[in-house]
Amino acid sequence: MLFDFVRVLITLLMVALAAGGVFWVTQQQQAHPWTRDGQVLANVVHVAPQVSGPVVAVHVADNQRVARGDPLFEIDPTLFQQAVQQAEADLAQASAEATDAAADANRAQTLHARGDLSQQDFDLKTAQSEAKAAAVDAAKVALETARLKLSYTKVSAASTGYVTNLELDAGTYATAGESVLALIDADSFWVAGYFKETDLPYIAIGDPAAVTLMGHPDRPLAGRVESIAFGVARRNTGTNLGDLAKVAPTFEWIRLAQRIPVRIALASPPADLPLRVGYTASVAINPSRTAERR
């Protein structure tokens, strides 16, 4: 009898300890939301030429750091130089024709004033002069366009960053608008922490955060909550417009909380700790009472 009582007492004590542990963990998670599901991210500039042509020179190497304005690669400028020369010749011809037409219009005005030229012929000469002047304006625009396209044959870095996964080489035909090179913006690194939706009520914009990289566990980084995503991709939907919904089977008694990205802005990471897109990170939030809840 005493043995049964002790056994029941021990069982109740273990249940109470387990419940207390669950309660403590829940309170800690609410007081300091935490996730191991984090990742270092950055803006990636997909560099695409604005004109098409064969690449004749590549001025960077894979994983090289470049500054804003540094040359990346060049496209064969031959055809574009010829287009500039043709546009210059067209402008010179249009200017000469406009000068002649203006002189004819001036003579026609003198003759018309003396009554030696009809109104119809005078109007014709005036219209021809105006048309030639408009042709000069069009030729100037064509020349500027040709020069602009020629300048596009030299592609430079739009921001300071790192060239990565470089496969471009001389001889490759580059098509306008198609990315041929990736540049990671060096000043845009942030951390995305994927928190359960049940954690979001305890996270606010401006809350301080501690980020620990898997590769550098002894060097935590300071940050703050910059924003919280307002949506993630739907899983139970068709791939294309008009497709039927694809509903995955689930167990009614198991409901997994959706993970929502929380953007963490880093506060001056150490210069000797290089950040790389894709690094795995743990993120802990220290909720602030004065911060705005989202």
Side-chain angles (χ1 to χ4, degrees):
M1 187 71 177
L2 179 61
F3 176 76
D4 292 338
F5 174 76
V6 172
R7 186 173 59 180
V8 170
L9 184 61
I10 293 176
T11 301
L12 292 176
L13 181 60
M14 293 179 62
V15 171
L17 289 175
V22 171
F23 177 78
W24 182 84
V25 170
T26 302
Q27 292 298 108
Q28 289 298 310
Q29 184 65 15
Q30 293 177 359
H32 303 284
W34 174 81
T35 180
R36 292 188 301 174
D37 189 7
Q39 192 173 44
V40 175
L41 299 174
N43 294 334
V44 180
V45 180
H46 299 281
V47 182
Q50 298 190 59
V51 293
S52 299
V55 176
V56 294
V58 179
H59 301 294
V60 292
D62 195 16
N63 301 317
Q64 177 181 336
R65 181 183 174 93
V66 296
R68 180 184 178 90
D70 284 353
L72 298 177
F73 61 92
E74 294 182 34
I75 291 174
D76 187 356
T78 304
L79 293 179
F80 302 96
Q81 291 171 342
Q82 293 175 351
V84 170
Q85 294 172 355
Q86 181 65 55
E88 291 174 341
D90 292 343
L91 177 58
Q93 180 179 354
S95 298
E97 292 177 353
T99 300
D100 290 342
D104 287 345
N106 289 334
R107 286 192 295 269
Q109 185 176 13
T110 301
L111 294 173
H112 179 65
R114 293 193 317 217
D116 294 336
L117 188 67
S118 67
Q119 183 65 40
Q120 181 178 1
D121 290 339
F122 171 70
D123 291 342
L124 178 61
K125 290 294 185 179
T126 302
Q128 289 175 344
S129 176
E130 293 174 351
K132 293 299 183 180
V136 171
D137 293 337
K140 289 179 179 179
V141 172
L143 176 58
E144 290 301 318
T145 301
R147 288 173 176 170
L148 185 61
K149 289 184 177 181
L150 177 59
S151 70
Y152 288 157
T153 60
K154 296 182 178 181
V155 181
S156 302
S159 61
T160 298
Y162 305 94
V163 176
T164 187
N165 195 31
L166 179 66
E167 297 181 352
L168 183 66
D169 202 355
T172 302
Y173 189 87
T175 303
E178 294 186 5
S179 176
V180 296
L181 185 150
L183 179 66
I184 297 177
D185 190 336
D187 300 321
S188 67
F189 282 94
W190 79 89
V191 172
Y194 302 100
F195 286 85
K196 298 190 297 292
E197 58 187 296
T198 53
D199 292 333
L200 296 188
Y202 311 102
I203 300 175
I205 307 301
D207 281 347
V211 176
T212 304
L213 303 179
M214 180 179 289
H216 302 274
D218 57 336
R219 303 187 66 181
L221 304 177
R224 64 176 181 82
V225 177
E226 187 175 55
S227 63
I228 302 174
F230 279 91
V232 294
R234 294 172 56 194
R235 290 171 295 180
N236 295 333
T237 185
T239 305
N240 300 312
L241 184 64
D243 287 349
L244 298 179
K246 299 177 181 179
V247 181
T250 58
F251 296 100
E252 291 297 331
W253 59 87
I254 300 178
R255 299 184 65 187
L256 299 179
Q258 177 65 55
R259 297 275 179 167
I260 303 296
V262 175
R263 184 177 178 126
I264 308 298
L266 297 175
S268 301
D272 62 340
L273 199 163
L275 296 177
R276 305 181 193 278
V277 174
Y279 266 1
T280 302
S282 298
V283 182
I285 307 296
N286 184 22
S288 172
R289 294 182 179 179
T290 59
E292 176 189 357
R293 299 289 150 187
R294 296 298 296 270

